[in-house]
Amino acid sequence: MLSLAAIGLHAQAPWDKGGFETQKYRNLFVEMGYNPMAVERKLQEVFNDVFNGPNKVYFEVGDTLGYISDIKNHDVRTEGMSYGMMIAVQLDKKDIFDRLWRWSKKYMQHQSGTREGYFAWSLKTDGTPNSQGAASDGELYFITALIFASNRWGDDTGINYKAEAQHILNCTMPKEYEPERGGFGGFGGFGGQQQSGPQKMFLIDPETMLITFTPDGFGQRYTDPSYHIPAFYEVWARWADDGRSDYWQECARKSREFLHKAIDEKTGLNPDMCQYDGTELQMPRFPGRPPGQAQGQQGQPQPPRRNGSSNFRYDSWRVPMNIALDYEWSCADKEWQRQYGERIQNFFYSQGVDSFVDQYRVDGTLPEGNEILQAGGFRKLRHSIGLVATTAAASMMCSHEKSKEFVKALWEAKHEPFEDGYFDAYYDGLLRLFAFMHLSGHYRVIFPKCYLQTGQMPMREAYGSTFWTSPQKEWNWPPVQEYDKQAYKVEQDGNTLVLTSDVSQKLGFRIKKAFSTDTKSEAITVTYTIINESGKEKQVAPWEITRVLNEGLIFFDAPAEQVTPAGIIPFKTAFKAAWYTTDVANDNRKINADGKGWLAYLDKGLLMVKKFDDLKPNQPAPDEAEIQVYVNRGKTYIELESQGAYTKLAPGESLSWTVKWYLMPYNGEAAPSKQLLKTVRKLIK
């Protein structure tokens, strides 16, 4: 429709920030000169091919159910069902999403027993299982799609999407099981290779924090590079609300590190499966479940030969598009991802944009004989549209001119049968649709509808301020839900906004937060009240936690030598105060200090100061302090924390504690200075 010369008039400029931060997305088709209306029509056409056309793979059952089928293999797979749900939530197709989820829950998801919460990876179209075991990528997509559905449509329209996602997450935590005779399952476990005695089942390998190929059996000993989508873990960290945000952030980091190791430095190709350290899989050929092949005979390893599972083949196609997604949403590994995008496109360009084949050894040579993985009864190398699609999606990361040719090739490609009759409406069709969603800016992070973003914090749980009771050892982790996450009753008392919590079932306290403005000092006044609703005397301290970006300057009135533990966060003494210029580390860090009733933060010309009671050394709760600073691992967020006095409360008694928040512009440098200290002291006087 458009000449390459015309496309070339539009230079590409990859973005430096992802959708988590900007909530903006590129329409690369339009950037390259395609008509915006033509792009939307093309996307709808590709969607209709998959869901409505004569070669559709989506089928409705009755009034409430629907499934996506791998037509050539006559089955329904968690891969396709979870992909369909992700497509539906991205394109706001609630009826399709709900039908797919209901079918998945009714027929695929185990509702009890050892596999509770997991999904049987392959079923007949009537819901009869072909295998009971799970394929880990299905759970990965189910969870993320359900969280997005909760964010987009809420949880009160017939399906509690958030609760369903949390249930899967909780069930995928490591748990013990007794292996079944001949191997526990997965899809295609190896008989006789299981260890005797209790085993552990897990979606994420506890040692490496990397996703398993299957959560049980032999498949949990290795991974599949195409299952690695770090940005999905960031979605879980922000909105799963399962108390594991730090853990999911670390999984994202580990997954990005793994991809560096698993991908060939010269060709950009990756193996179909590999060890957790990225090296070649050392085992007999696994019969497996390639997208184009029906289930092999379970429990029967193939004769030893060149390990085709170490080749770039069907599953491997997804990796360029997955890395592009992480780049679009997170940009956390942008330099490497840009290099990777151009590296893999350079390889396929060398093979011919219109002629590269769909399977290679990772060194770029061609596989031979039975090393070529069959699909749909054919064992043949092809120029498959599924791989055309994912190499085009990699253009999101690229700035070289070659990327335009890959996009043009996808735009012009026809999804139709090959001369020998082979046609894959399912896998090729879904990857083609995903690629068009990426390149048209329709594959996005879906934020909650009522989500007010007042900053650019990387984690939902790291926004704004919250309130806990101290000491932490009374409740450990996660924070008490009634105080931290559950809804408060909201009332207005004159010019004061009063928020009242439910009584904590664990601690017996009720919390009130009263917000008002102090026009004289130009501050926001927050008064916290802790009410002992239990039937016995209790001792407690108030604790305010304010989250800010990991950037800028933090300081308070105390010598750095009194900050404990010493050296864990690099506070320095200047002008008799402690100062910390934010930094990055791979570990969570927290300090305690006895200040003089204030804590300040300066970033991008804005000065924030919190003023509270100055405690004597014996007043804080055990193992706590008047001032605390917590720095989350990586460049994520920081908590500025202050606590009040540890107080005994008889049944029915309460304590109140007030914090004042000040915010003002400051034109000086974000560095220790007498002027900055003077400004703070004048502000809070």
Side-chain angles (χ1 to χ4, degrees), residues 245-271:
S245 290
D246 286 351
Y247 177 76
W248 299 129
Q249 286 284 352
E250 184 66 5
C251 286
R253 187 179 71 82
K254 293 284 191 180
S255 194
R256 293 183 183 110
E257 288 180 354
F258 162 80
L259 288 168
H260 288 217
K261 300 172 185 175
I263 291 170
D264 188 87
E265 293 182 356
K266 293 182 179 179
T267 64
L269 302 178
N270 59 272

Side-chain angles (χ1 to χ4, degrees), residues 207-355:
E207 292 186 13
T208 63
M209 301 180 77
L210 300 176
I211 191 168
T212 59
F213 183 62
T214 66
D216 61 299
F218 196 81
Q220 65 183 185
R221 301 187 191 180
Y222 57 95
T223 189
D224 180 327
S226 75
Y227 291 8
H228 288 260
I229 311 179
F232 279 12
Y233 298 131
E234 292 200 41
V235 171
W236 302 0
R238 286 166 170 80
W239 296 302
D241 294 335
D242 66 342
R244 304 182 184 100
S245 290
D246 286 351
Y247 177 76
W248 299 129
Q249 286 284 352
E250 184 66 5
C251 286
R253 187 179 71 82
K254 293 284 191 180
S255 194
R256 293 183 183 110
E257 288 180 354
F258 162 80
L259 288 168
H260 288 217
K261 300 172 185 175
I263 291 170
D264 188 87
E265 293 182 356
K266 293 182 179 179
T267 64
L269 302 178
N270 59 272
D272 196 53
M273 310 172 209
C274 64
Q275 311 279 22
Y276 289 121
D277 62 2
T279 58
E280 183 174 338
L281 197 58
Q282 302 297 322
M283 68 175 193
R285 179 173 176 263
F286 186 60
R289 179 251 3 172
Q293 183 180 5
Q295 169 79 349
Q297 184 178 358
Q298 199 165 10
Q300 298 297 321
Q302 301 293 315
R305 62 173 180 79
R306 181 181 175 88
N307 192 357
S309 63
S310 294
N311 290 346
F312 180 93
R313 54 189 192 183
Y314 298 111
D315 275 18
S316 309
W317 300 356
R318 300 181 288 213
V319 171
M321 189 156 59
N322 291 346
I323 295 176
L325 182 146
D326 190 42
Y327 174 74
E328 292 171 70
W329 290 7
S330 177
C331 257
D333 197 16
K334 59 189 177 185
E335 298 301 330
W336 180 85
Q337 289 167 340
R338 289 172 185 166
Q339 294 169 9
Y340 161 79
E342 298 195 359
R343 187 191 325 158
I344 196 166
Q345 283 196 344
N346 283 337
F347 170 76
F348 284 111
Y349 195 87
S350 73
Q351 305 296 302
V353 173
D354 298 316
S355 58

Side-chain angles (χ1 to χ4, degrees), residues 48-166:
N48 285 334
D49 284 349
V50 174
F51 284 86
N52 303 313
N55 295 315
K56 68 179 183 178
V57 297
Y58 169 72
F59 303 91
E60 295 186 352
V61 181
D63 295 332
T64 60
L65 303 178
Y67 64 84
I68 287 177
S69 174
D70 182 350
I71 302 293
K72 63 186 179 303
N73 285 315
H74 314 291
D75 70 346
V76 180
R77 305 177 174 208
T78 53
E79 170 190 71
M81 295 295 282
S82 60
Y83 281 12
M85 286 168 55
M86 179 60 76
I87 292 164
V89 72
Q90 288 289 331
L91 301 182
D92 202 10
K93 309 281 188 183
K94 188 176 186 300
D95 181 62
I96 292 176
F97 185 99
D98 289 353
R99 285 175 176 271
L100 292 172
W101 171 246
R102 291 189 196 106
W103 202 98
S104 300
K105 183 171 183 177
K106 180 176 181 178
Y107 294 114
M108 293 182 138
Q109 190 179 37
H110 296 283
Q111 300 301 322
S112 61
T114 304
R115 296 188 181 97
E116 182 182 354
Y118 285 98
F119 297 77
W121 79 271
S122 172
L123 283 73
K124 294 181 174 61
T125 57
D126 65 1
T128 304
N130 292 320
S131 170
Q132 296 290 352
S136 298
D137 61 332
E139 278 69 12
L140 183 78
Y141 270 86
F142 278 129
I143 293 164
T144 312
L146 285 164
I147 292 171
F148 279 165
S150 173
N151 288 355
R152 166 152 268 167
W153 301 312
D155 297 312
D156 56 357
T157 61
I159 299 174
N160 189 331
Y161 305 110
K162 175 71 71 66
E164 298 286 5
Q166 291 171 333

Side-chain angles (χ1 to χ4, degrees), residues 392-468:
S395 297
M396 299 299 298
M397 301 177 281
C398 302
S399 57
H400 61 186
E401 292 296 309
K402 296 171 186 174
S403 65
K404 302 182 178 76
E405 296 188 46
F406 286 93
V407 173
K408 181 174 182 284
L410 174 63
W411 183 273
E412 296 179 348
K414 292 184 170 108
H415 190 197
E416 57 189 14
F418 287 86
E419 291 182 1
D420 59 6
Y422 175 78
F423 181 65
D424 183 7
Y426 166 74
Y427 193 58
D428 279 338
L430 288 168
L431 293 185
R432 177 178 179 234
L433 177 52
F434 272 135
F436 270 91
M437 289 163 58
H438 276 287
L439 293 165
S440 63
H442 286 287
Y443 202 158
R444 303 181 174 189
V445 179
I446 299 175
F447 284 75
K449 268 189 174 180
C450 298
Y451 186 56
L452 177 62
Q453 184 169 355
T454 56
Q456 300 296 338
M457 203 69 65
M459 298 171 63
R460 184 191 184 206
E461 291 189 355
Y463 276 86
S465 285
T466 188
F467 181 84
W468 302 332

